[in-house]
Amino acid sequence: MAKNAPFSSVFSLLFLFLVLGKFSAMAENTTIPVNVGVVIDSDTWYGKMGLSCISMALSDFYASHSSYKTRLVLHKRNPTSDVVVTASAALDLIKNVEVQAIIGPETSMQANFVISLGNKAQVPIISYSATSPSLTSIRSSYFFRAAQNDSSQVKAISAIIQSFGWREVVAIYVNNEFGEGVIPSLSDALQEVDARIAYRSVISPMATDDQIVAELYKLKEMETQVFIVHMLADLGSRLFDKAKQIGMMEEGYAWIMTDGMTNSFSYINSSDIENMEGVLGIKTFVPNTKELESFGVRWKSKFQQDNPTVHDVKLDVFGYWAYDTAWALAMAVEKVGAKNFNFQKLNSTSGNSSTDLERFGVSQNGPQLVQALSGTIFKGLSGDFSLLNGQLQSSTFQIVNVIGSGERLVGYWTPEKGLERKLNLTKTSTHSTSNVSLGSIIWPGDTTSAPKGWQIPTSGKRLKILVPLKQGFSEFVKVTHDPKTKRTIVDGYCINVFEAVIKSLPYDVPYDLYPYEKPNGESAGSYNDLVNEVFLGNYDAAVGDITIRANRSLYVDFTLPFTESGVSMIVPIKDNKSKNAWVFLKPLTWDLWVTSGCFFIFIGFVVWVLEHRINEDFRGPPHHQIGTSFWFSFSTMVFAHRERVVSNLARFVVIIWCFVVLILTQSYTASLTSLLTVQQLQPTVTDVNLLLKYKDNVAYQPGSFVYGILKELGFQDENLKTFNTSEELNQLFQNGSRKNGISAAFDETPYMKLFLATYCSKYTMVDPTFKADGFAFVFPKGSPLARDVSRGILHVNEGNQTKDIEDRWFKKQNCVDPNSLVSSNSLSLESFWGLFLIAGVASTLALLIFAAMFLYEHKDIFKRLDPEASLWKRFLIMLRIYDNKDLKSFTFKKRELEVNTNFHPSPSVYSDHTEARNVFGEQMRSPSSADLEHAGFSPGASTSRSEMESAIEITERPRTHEIDPGSN
C-alpha cells in the first residue's frame, strides 16, 4: 500500500487537472441566449420566405462570428392576418417569454398596436415589411422599419407624371392603414409638379368582384385616365383583372403601380401579371452583387428542402430585408454585451386588474438595444443598411414596364438626377424630368404612344358651351338659324380660334355651342350675364369676344387672351396742309436752324484763318475780309462760291462741309416738298379732356364694360351714343358733333381695328388707350380645361393658324395706314448731329495743324522775344506776324514769277544798295537798340536783319496810315 501511494497521488493530480481543464473549456464555450420573438404568418408563401431568410441570416452571422458571447434564440408565433390575433401573439412573447426584441409583424395594420406594446415594455419592434408612413406618426423610439417608407417613392411617381405632361391622376388605394398612409405624401409631391389628385378611389380589402367592377365603371366615366394603384398584390391582381374585362386596359389609359405590388411580383401568378400588360411600376432597387447571387442559390436550395411542396419560388426584396434585419439585430445584441437580459416586473396600479396589459414587465436592456440598433451600419444583401431615425435609408428606384407575364426595366429614378435610362452613380448637377430619359414603354393597348391622360369620355355628356349673340361685328361671333333644317350655325373669328385650340389639345373634347338668346331670337343679356351663367353651372364654358375683367375673374376662370388688349379712341381725321407764309421754316426745327447758322459762321472763320496769309481773295480791309468769309461760307448752300481755295487744309474742310451742306439741303427740300404737296391728315381730337370740356358726344357698344370706363371718366348719359355695327358708327361720325352725331368712339382694340380696316381713310386711332386684358374663353372655377386651353392658345398663336383665321374674317383693303398720314415732324438736330460732329472735328483739326505749322515756322522769333514780355504782348507780336503775307508761299512766288516774266526789271532792282521799304511803301531805317528792345528782343541777342526789320515794321506801323486796297 505504501508503495502504491505515490502512484495514487499522481493519478489524483492528473484527474484533477483534467476536471479543471474540462470546466475551463466549458466556461470558455458558454454563450448567453437572448430571446427574440418572430411574429410572421408561416402558412403563407410570404411568411415562409421571411422565416427562411431570418434563419439563414443567424446561421451565417454566428458562423462568421463564432467568438461572440450572445446567441439569438427565435420564438416564433404564427398569427393570421387578424390584428387582434397578432397583438395577442406579441403580448404573449413580451409577457411570458420576455423577448428582448420582436421581428415583425408583416403588415402595417398589425404593426400599429404591436408598436404600442413594444413601447410600453421597452422592447424594440423591427418590421421588414410594414411600410405605411402613418406608423411614423406614432413616434415610438422602439419601432424600427427595416424597409423603405412608402412615402419615399412618391417623388419618383410625380417625376413620371411630370415627364409625360399629365396634370390630373386618380389614386386607387386599399381602405386601410397601408393604403391611406401614402396619400398625403403623394398629393404633396404631385402639387410640386403642377399636378393633382382629381379623385380618390378607396377599395375595401374585403371588396367583392362586383364592388370592384362598380368602382371601375365609375372611374371609366371620368375624364382623367391616369391611375395610380397602391395596394397589396392579392387585391391589386383582382383589380387589374376586372379593369381588363371592362376595357380599361386599352389604348389611352395609363396605370402606375407603387412598390407595394411591384416588389411582390415574385409570387403573383403569370396569368394575373398578363392582365397588367402596359402598366408602369415603381420597384425598390437592390444592387446586384456576388454575395446576393450566392445567397440566392443557397436560399433556393434550403427553401426547397424545408418546403418540398412549394415550387417555382423567387426571392424578392422583402427576403433581403428580413435577412438584413436578423443580421442587424444580432450585431446590436452583441454590442449591448454579455448581460442578463431580464425583465423588471412592475406593480399594477390596480390590484383588481383583469387584463394582462398592466402586468408585464419592462426590458432592462431595451434602451441600450435601441441605441445599438440605431448605430448599426453594415453592407447587407439589400445594400447599405442604416436605420437612421428608425428608418431604412434608400433612395433609388427602378421603373419597370409589365410586358407579357414579366417585367422589363425602362429606367431609374434618384433624388439627385431624377429619371435616367441607365443608373449612373457619379455625382452630377443635372436633374432630368423628361420621359426621353426612359426606355421605350409599351402602354395598355399594345401601343408605344404615351396616353394623353385626360379626355372627355364618349359615354359621358358633351360640354355645353355658351356663345354671345351679336347684332354687329359678326366677324367675331356669327350666329345664324337655318329655317329649313332648324339648325343653329355658330361661326366667326372667336369660334374658329376655339376650334383650333381644341384640336391642339392632347385629348378629345366633344362639345355643343348654344347661343345666349331668348326664344324670340334676341340677346338674353349682357356679357356679365353670360359669364354668370357659367358661374351658376348652367353651362360648362363660354366662348366669344368676352373680355377678361377683374370683377368677372372672381367667379370664373379665364384662359390666356387670344387677342391684343386695350380700349382705344377713334376720331375723324382732317387735312391740315400748311398754307401760311412762313411754312418754309417748318422743315427744320429751331435748334437745327441755329446750329446750321453757327456752323456756317464757324466754317467761314476756319477757311479765312487757313487762307489769309497765302490767298489774296481773303486779304484786304477788315470789313472786306469778314464779308468774303461769310459770302464764301453761305454760298456753299447753292455751291456758288467763286473764291479760290489754295490751302490743302482749307480744301479738306470745304470738301467735308460741302458734303454736310448737300445732305442738309436735300433733306430740307424733301421735307418742304412734303409739307407743300402731300396731304397732311391730323386727328380732329387728340385729348379726351377736350371732349369732356366741350361736352362732345361719344359712342360705345351697348352691353360692353366700356360704358363703365366712360362714366368713370366723367361723361354724362346725354353725351353717350351707342352703335352695333361699323356702318352705324360711321353714320354717327358723318352726323358731326351736333346732337345726333359724335366726335369720338370708344371700344376695344380688335373692334376698332376692324372698323379702321373698312374706313381707314376717314378715321384714326389715337391715345389714350385704356388697359384691358383682351378676349378669352370662360370656364368654371377650378376647371382643368382652362389651363390646357390656355396652353393650346399659345400653341395656336405660335403657328400660322391665327393668321389664317384673321385673313378669313378680317377683310384687307389697300388703304394707307392712318398713322402714316399724320403730319410728319420737322427735321431735328438729332438726325444730323453726326454730320455736324464730323465737320466740327475736321475743322478743329485743320486749325490745330495750321497753328502748329505756323508756330514751328516762326519758332526763332518766338524764342528771341524778351522773356519778361507779357503773354498778351507775345500773342500780339505773333498775331501781327500772322497778318503778313507768307511771301514764301508758292502762290506769291508763282505770281512774282509771272510778273518777272512779263516785265524785265532794271538793274537797280538787283542792286544791294536799294533802299529798303516796308509793306506800306515807307523807307525803312536800320534798327537801333531801342527799336529792338521795343520790339521785344533781348539786348545783345543774335537776330537776323530780316526778322528785326519785320518786328520793327510791325511795332512802328502807323495806325492811321492809308492803305491802298489790294496793296496788302
Side-chain angles (χ1 to χ4, degrees):
M1 293 292 293
K3 292 181 179 179
N4 294 331
F7 294 99
S8 178
S9 300
V10 172
F11 179 78
S12 299
L13 289 173
L14 290 174
F15 179 77
L16 181 61
F17 284 131
L18 289 175
V19 172
L20 291 175
K22 183 177 181 181
F23 276 103
S24 178
M26 290 177 62
E28 291 179 358
N29 295 329
T30 300
T31 57
I32 300 175
V34 180
N35 295 326
V36 174
V38 179
V39 183
I40 295 177
D41 186 1
S42 59
D43 294 334
T44 63
W45 183 94
Y46 180 82
K48 295 179 186 296
M49 178 190 65
L51 286 173
S52 64
C53 290
I54 292 173
S55 177
M56 290 185 67
L58 296 180
S59 298
D60 294 345
F61 180 81
Y62 291 121
S64 59
H65 303 87
S66 58
S67 62
Y68 281 9
K69 301 298 182 180
T70 58
R71 293 293 185 271
L72 298 187
V73 179
L74 300 181
H75 297 268
K76 303 174 185 177
R77 293 294 183 270
N78 185 23
T80 61
S81 59
D82 187 84
V83 175
V84 177
V85 176
T86 303
S88 177
L91 182 61
D92 174 61
L93 290 170
I94 295 174
K95 180 177 181 297
N96 299 322
V97 184
E98 294 186 349
V99 294
Q100 300 298 315
I102 294 178
I103 298 178
E106 295 179 81
T107 67
S108 300
M109 292 72 67
Q110 296 169 335
N112 200 337
F113 186 67
V114 174
I115 293 172
S116 299
L117 291 176
N119 190 59
K120 183 176 181 61
Q122 296 185 4
V123 174
I125 308 298
I126 313 170
S127 176
Y128 61 85
S129 56
T131 58
S132 175
S134 62
L135 298 178
T136 307
S137 63
I138 300 176
R139 293 188 177 92
S140 173
S141 60
Y142 289 89
F143 172 63
F144 291 88
R145 193 201 313 269
Q148 288 186 356
N149 192 325
D150 282 339
S151 61
S152 62
Q153 63 183 317
V154 297
K155 294 286 187 181
I157 297 174
S158 64
I160 296 175
I161 300 298
Q162 183 184 23
S163 66
F164 289 99
W166 299 324
R167 293 293 175 262
E168 289 188 346
V169 302
V170 172
I172 307 175
Y173 57 94
V174 62
N175 188 16
N176 56 27
E177 196 156 1
F178 167 76
E180 296 171 350
V182 76
I183 297 303
S185 300
L186 178 61
S187 179
D188 293 341
L190 292 175
Q191 287 182 4
E192 292 179 2
V193 296
D194 198 21
R196 70 185 187 97
I197 299 177
Y199 180 76
R200 300 183 182 186
S201 177
V202 185
I203 298 180
S204 170
M206 308 301 295
T208 64
D209 289 348
D210 292 339
Q211 290 174 332
I212 294 175
V213 170
E215 183 66 21
L216 288 175
Y217 270 119
K218 185 189 300 182
L219 300 180
K220 190 176 182 181
E221 294 179 356
M222 295 182 179
E223 294 84 357
T224 306
Q225 293 185 323
V226 180
F227 305 99
I228 299 176
V229 180
H230 180 62
M231 55 185 60
L232 296 178
D234 53 353
L235 182 60
S237 300
R238 294 170 55 205
L239 176 76
F240 282 106
D241 178 48
K242 299 307 175 184
K244 185 175 183 179
Q245 291 180 12
I246 67 173
M248 292 184 68
M249 299 300 293
E250 302 296 333
E251 184 177 358
Y253 289 91
W255 295 82
I256 300 175
M257 296 183 298
T258 64
D259 60 2
M261 288 189 62
T262 315
N263 286 341
S264 303
F265 261 24
S266 57
Y267 53 88
I268 299 179
N269 295 330
S270 59
S271 59
D272 292 333
I273 296 178
E274 290 177 356
N275 293 331
M276 308 174 191
E277 184 165 10
V279 177
L280 287 181
I282 306 297
K283 189 173 184 179
T284 302
F285 169 70
V286 178
N288 191 17
T289 61
K290 293 181 179 180
E291 292 79 5
L292 189 67
E293 294 178 355
S294 174
F295 174 76
V297 174
R298 292 191 297 114
W299 174 85
K300 189 171 185 179
S301 176
K302 184 179 186 305
F303 188 85
Q304 290 293 344
Q305 293 177 3
D306 297 340
N307 304 278
T309 59
V310 180
H311 302 284
D312 193 22
V313 293
K314 294 180 182 179
L315 188 62
D316 60 21
V317 68
F318 292 104
Y320 304 145
W321 285 336
Y323 183 95
D324 292 342
T325 298
W327 190 286
L329 183 57
M331 290 182 64
V333 168
E334 184 65 26
K335 286 181 182 180
V336 173
K339 301 178 180 179
N340 292 324
F341 292 89
N342 297 323
F343 270 55
Q344 179 183 359
K345 298 296 183 178
L346 299 178
N347 294 326
S348 175
T349 58
S350 176
N352 298 323
S353 175
S354 61
T355 66
D356 291 335
L357 297 180
E358 298 181 1
R359 296 176 183 173
F360 58 77
V362 175
S363 174
Q364 296 297 295
N365 297 303
Q368 292 86 346
L369 188 55
V370 167
Q371 186 176 2
L373 279 169
S374 300
T376 300
I377 300 175
F378 63 94
K379 190 77 172 181
L381 290 179
S382 61
D384 294 330
F385 188 93
S386 173
L387 296 176
L388 182 62
N389 296 324
Q391 303 278 343
L392 181 64
Q393 303 303 303
S394 181
S395 59
T396 302
F397 290 93
Q398 292 176 316
I399 313 298
V400 297
N401 185 204
V402 181
I403 299 177
S405 59
E407 61 185 41
R408 182 169 62 89
L409 180 65
V410 295
Y412 297 87
W413 180 89
T414 61
E416 297 80 12
K417 303 176 185 177
L419 299 175
E420 54 182 349
R421 180 65 183 89
K422 295 181 179 180
L423 186 61
N424 185 4
L425 297 179
T426 59
K427 293 184 178 181
T428 178
S429 59
T430 58
H431 188 93
S432 174
T433 58
S434 171
N435 57 49
V436 179
S437 303
L438 300 176
S440 60
I441 299 174
I442 303 299
W443 298 96
D446 196 23
T447 177
T448 57
S449 300
K452 297 177 181 179
W454 199 98
Q455 72 175 14
I456 303 297
T458 55
S459 59
K461 67 174 185 178
R462 298 169 65 88
L463 292 182
K464 294 175 60 178
I465 298 179
L466 195 61
V467 296
L469 184 66
K470 298 182 66 65
Q471 296 182 6
F473 294 98
S474 58
E475 292 85 353
F476 291 97
V477 179
K478 183 178 182 180
V479 179
T480 56
H481 299 280
D482 191 339
K484 296 182 179 179
T485 61
K486 296 184 179 180
R487 292 179 61 248
T488 301
I489 302 173
V490 183
D491 205 356
Y493 170 77
C494 299
I495 306 303
N496 290 165
V497 171
F498 179 74
E499 292 171 348
V501 169
I502 293 299
K503 291 180 181 178
S504 69
L505 296 180
Y507 46 81
D508 297 330
V509 182
Y511 62 90
D512 294 315
L513 300 176
Y514 297 87
Y516 188 46
E517 61 181 354
K518 297 178 181 178
N520 59 3
E522 296 180 356
S523 176
S526 66
Y527 279 80
N528 286 337
D529 298 331
L530 181 144
V531 171
N532 193 50
E533 291 292 327
V534 178
F535 167 70
L536 295 176
N538 298 329
Y539 294 89
D540 299 310
V543 173
D545 50 347
I546 307 170
T547 306
I548 302 173
R549 301 297 294 172
N551 60 331
R552 297 172 181 173
S553 65
L554 297 175
Y555 308 100
V556 295
D557 283 345
F558 286 95
T559 64
L560 291 177
F562 58 89
T563 62
E564 57 185 316
S565 60
V567 175
S568 302
M569 182 173 72
I570 295 292
V571 297
I573 50 180
K574 62 180 181 179
D575 185 9
N576 193 36
K577 188 182 296 184
S578 299
K579 299 177 174 63
N580 60 74
W582 302 100
V583 69
F584 68 90
L585 295 177
K586 194 172 183 180
L588 306 182
T589 58
W590 69 268
D591 55 345
L592 185 55
W593 279 114
V594 172
T595 304
S596 300
C598 293
F599 260 84
F600 275 113
I601 297 173
F602 176 66
I603 295 299
F605 169 75
V606 172
V607 173
W608 175 82
V609 171
L610 299 176
E611 292 289 316
H612 177 67
R613 301 192 73 223
I614 60 175
N615 194 338
E616 291 287 357
D617 291 337
F618 291 90
R619 298 188 66 83
H623 63 275
H624 174 75
Q625 296 182 46
I626 293 174
T628 301
S629 300
F630 284 175
W631 160 256
F632 177 84
S633 178
F634 283 95
S635 62
T636 56
M637 286 192 298
V638 292
F639 305 100
H641 49 284
R642 56 183 179 80
E643 288 77 14
R644 292 184 308 113
V645 179
V646 298
S647 169
N648 288 332
L649 291 176
R651 290 172 178 174
F652 171 71
V653 172
V654 171
I655 289 174
I656 293 178
W657 178 243
C658 286
F659 175 72
V660 174
V661 170
L662 175 64
I663 295 178
L664 195 62
T665 55
Q666 293 296 325
S667 301
Y668 173 85
T669 303
S671 180
L672 182 60
T673 302
S674 175
L675 288 172
L676 296 176
T677 60
V678 177
Q679 185 183 27
Q680 305 298 317
L681 299 179
Q682 291 277 14
T684 56
V685 180
T686 58
D687 191 354
V688 68
N689 292 319
L690 294 176
L691 297 173
L692 292 169
K693 179 180 179 180
Y694 296 109
K695 297 183 179 180
D696 288 349
N697 294 336
V698 297
Y700 68 97
Q701 278 199 77
S704 172
F705 69 94
V706 177
Y707 172 78
I709 295 178
L710 296 177
K711 293 295 290 183
E712 290 179 1
L713 290 175
F715 287 97
Q716 302 300 319
D717 288 335
E718 58 267 19
N719 300 122
L720 297 179
K721 306 294 182 181
T722 60
F723 64 92
N724 291 308
T725 65
S726 298
E727 292 74 15
E728 291 182 9
L729 178 58
N730 178 56
Q731 185 59 47
L732 288 174
F733 276 119
Q734 295 300 318
N735 294 337
S737 58
R738 55 183 183 271
K739 185 176 181 180
N740 294 327
I742 60 173
S743 299
F746 293 84
D747 212 336
E748 295 177 79
T749 302
Y751 297 121
M752 294 294 90
K753 286 195 171 183
L754 181 61
F755 175 75
L756 291 178
T758 306
Y759 302 99
C760 56
S761 60
K762 296 181 179 181
Y763 310 99
T764 187
M765 187 183 304
V766 297
D767 289 336
T769 299
F770 302 96
K771 289 185 178 181
D773 293 322
F775 296 159
F777 305 129
V778 179
F779 290 91
K781 276 285 186 181
S783 172
L785 265 178
R787 178 173 50 194
D788 291 346
V789 170
S790 295
R791 292 189 179 91
I793 291 172
L794 295 177
H795 177 75
V796 171
N797 288 339
E798 290 173 357
N800 295 324
Q801 299 181 65
T802 302
K803 183 178 182 301
D804 295 339
I805 297 173
E806 289 178 353
D807 293 342
R808 175 187 175 188
W809 288 101
F810 303 144
K811 52 188 176 181
K812 303 292 183 180
Q813 294 187 1
N814 295 326
C815 295
V816 182
D817 186 1
N819 294 327
S820 65
L821 297 177
V822 177
S823 178
S824 58
N825 294 329
S826 301
L827 300 175
S828 65
L829 182 60
E830 294 179 357
S831 305
F832 298 95
W833 71 267
L835 290 174
F836 288 118
L837 178 63
I838 294 173
V841 170
S843 303
T844 304
L845 183 62
L847 285 176
L848 293 176
I849 294 174
F850 174 79
M853 293 172 61
F854 175 77
L855 293 175
Y856 179 80
E857 182 181 355
H858 298 86
K859 62 181 179 179
D860 294 336
I861 297 177
F862 191 78
K863 290 180 180 179
R864 292 184 178 88
L865 293 176
D866 186 1
E868 297 181 357
S870 64
L871 184 63
W872 175 250
K873 190 171 185 180
R874 294 184 182 188
F875 174 75
L876 291 177
I877 292 173
M878 299 307 296
L879 188 61
R880 289 166 182 168
I881 295 175
Y882 163 79
D883 192 45
N884 287 333
K885 291 182 180 179
D886 186 4
L887 298 177
K888 293 183 293 183
S889 173
F890 75 96
T891 54
F892 293 115
K893 290 182 178 180
K894 180 179 179 182
R895 183 174 180 182
E896 181 181 354
L897 181 60
E898 291 175 353
V899 171
N900 292 338
T901 303
N902 296 330
F903 304 97
H904 299 285
S906 63
S908 62
V909 174
Y910 304 97
S911 173
D912 292 337
H913 303 285
T914 305
E915 294 180 342
R917 296 181 178 273
N918 59 22
V919 294
F920 300 101
E922 299 172 333
Q923 183 177 350
M924 294 184 60
R925 58 182 177 83
S926 298
S928 64
S929 299
D931 295 331
L932 293 174
E933 186 176 356
H934 178 68
F937 292 96
S938 300
S942 176
T943 307
S944 64
R945 179 180 180 84
S946 60
E947 293 172 346
M948 290 188 295
E949 291 175 349
S950 178
I952 293 172
E953 176 189 358
I954 294 171
T955 58
E956 293 185 351
R957 178 182 302 173
R959 295 183 181 272
T960 58
H961 191 81
E962 294 294 335
I963 301 176
D964 183 21
S967 64
N968 199 20

